[in-house]
Amino acid sequence: MAHNAGIEPKRSLNRNLALGAVVIAVALAIAVFAAKPAHRSATAANPAPVAALPSAAFPVVAAPATGGLQARESAFDFGSISMAAGKVTHRFWFRNESGSKVLIRRIYTSCMCTAATLVKGMKIINTYGMPGHGPLPAVNESLKPGEAAYVDVVFDPAAHGPAGLGPTQRVVTIESDAGQPVELHFVANVRP
């Protein structure tokens, strides 16, 4: 009998471990299913129309009087995006509309959840983020008159965790030697 008494607790322990593993697996499956988006209403291929936003969502950016850098669009709406679905990207094109070379000095974002990668021609120049969150390298790239470039803006809706749910606005700023900075705005409504 002493031998059976020693085996019984092991059996009970194994049964409890198995039951605990099943409960954890079911809980994880429910969490993954609940976080999975039903559909994605806005993507880079199918963006939500910016015109549907209230005009106060994007401040009007005056173009420099002498030309300089001009963005093809200065605002974009990702629409409703899922934190669980991961990062979203939008490409902002801009061009040197002046009659002389323009030097891009700095590019930076308004938040650490956003990164902007400058691409000129077929060459990736660098990726830039928020000042104060790691090194912010100088750009020092010039655009000839009429030359275009773009920034691929990547927004990570999960960067702020649950505190980042709801409407979000961010800005990417491009500073040059040709007058006022170019501000590229985007908004998103972040869901779990």
Side-chain angles (χ1 to χ4, degrees):
M1 276 210 174
H3 184 63
N4 284 342
I7 295 176
E8 196 62 39
K10 286 184 181 177
R11 213 185 260 168
S12 177
L13 180 62
N14 288 343
R15 189 176 301 140
N16 287 343
L17 284 174
L19 182 60
V22 168
V23 168
I24 290 172
V26 169
L28 284 173
I30 290 171
V32 167
F33 180 75
K36 191 174 183 181
H39 69 284
R40 240 181 129 104
S41 61
T43 63
N46 184 23
V50 173
L53 293 174
S55 60
F58 299 111
V60 176
V61 179
T66 59
L69 297 179
Q70 302 269 335
R72 184 182 296 171
E73 64 178 332
S74 62
F76 181 76
D77 181 8
F78 283 109
S80 182
I81 60 173
S82 167
M83 184 183 294
K87 298 175 182 177
V88 292
T89 304
H90 182 69
R91 182 168 289 171
F92 285 98
W93 284 90
F94 59 95
R95 175 190 308 266
N96 176 1
E97 296 291 342
S98 75
S100 60
K101 184 168 61 170
V102 170
L103 179 67
I104 301 170
R105 295 183 182 190
R106 286 178 26 140
I107 297 176
Y108 53 91
T109 66
S110 61
C111 187
M112 59 118 185
C113 62
T114 306
T117 301
L118 175 63
V119 180
K120 178 181 161 190
M122 298 297 287
K123 181 181 174 195
I124 295 174
I125 305 303
N126 209 340
T127 299
Y128 307 92
M130 179 182 180
H133 286 270
L136 190 61
V139 179
N140 294 326
E141 283 291 323
S142 59
L143 293 179
K144 298 178 214 158
E147 187 176 14
Y150 62 85
V151 288
D152 278 333
V153 176
V154 178
F155 170 59
D156 182 358
H160 297 287
L165 294 176
T168 300
Q169 293 184 62
R170 299 290 184 259
V171 180
V172 174
T173 304
I174 303 172
E175 293 180 354
S176 71
D177 64 353
Q180 295 293 319
V182 173
E183 291 186 343
L184 308 170
H185 300 258
F186 71 84
V187 296
N189 186 30
V190 181
R191 300 179 286 105

